[in-house]
Amino acid sequence: MEWDHITGEKNNSCVNGKKFSNTKDQIEEFVQGPCYPVVISPGLFASRLTVTIDCQTLKDSHPDIFSSCGWKDCDGGLFSPNKEYDMWISDFTSPMNFLVDKTSKCWGNLI
């Protein structure tokens, strides 16, 4: 919903100027209107965001971030980070995967 800056009234541009008596119809019209928040972009899945990790520096400088990713050491074992991770779009088993594991703070902490 936008306001007409001259008259101070609602212009309902996000619902194509229509007025509604029930929420269901309003939501359906919103999806058809110009303010719908999802944009389909052909390049969305072609983009790539990676993070390169200097393990010892991260462990020494930010131990809270290091442990939030489930890492314990830098010896190259199971509880050590890889040198590089894809953050977008991440592998399902990666500590960077915030889409599957909603409790993980690794991705957000590294950003």
Side-chain angles (χ1 to χ4, degrees), residues 13-98:
S13 63
C14 289
V15 290
N16 298 315
K18 299 177 182 175
K19 296 185 182 193
F20 299 91
S21 59
N22 69 60
T23 305
K24 182 180 181 279
D25 291 341
Q26 185 175 12
I27 291 172
E28 288 175 1
E29 189 65 31
F30 178 79
V31 170
Q32 301 301 319
C35 302
Y36 187 62
V38 175
V39 176
I40 302 300
S41 172
L44 179 66
F45 294 106
S47 61
R48 185 172 173 213
L49 176 63
T50 60
V51 61
T52 302
I53 297 172
D54 179 336
C55 184
Q56 199 60 53
T57 301
L58 179 62
K59 183 179 178 190
D60 293 344
S61 302
H62 302 284
D64 54 328
I65 295 173
F66 190 82
S67 65
S68 77
C69 294
W71 302 317
K72 299 193 182 338
D73 53 51
C74 294
D75 65 5
L78 183 62
F79 297 104
S80 300
N82 294 339
K83 183 174 170 86
E84 185 176 280
Y85 287 97
D86 285 336
M87 293 183 80
W88 181 259
I89 298 175
S90 64
D91 182 18
F92 284 113
T93 60
S94 170
M96 305 301 149
N97 190 341
F98 68 94

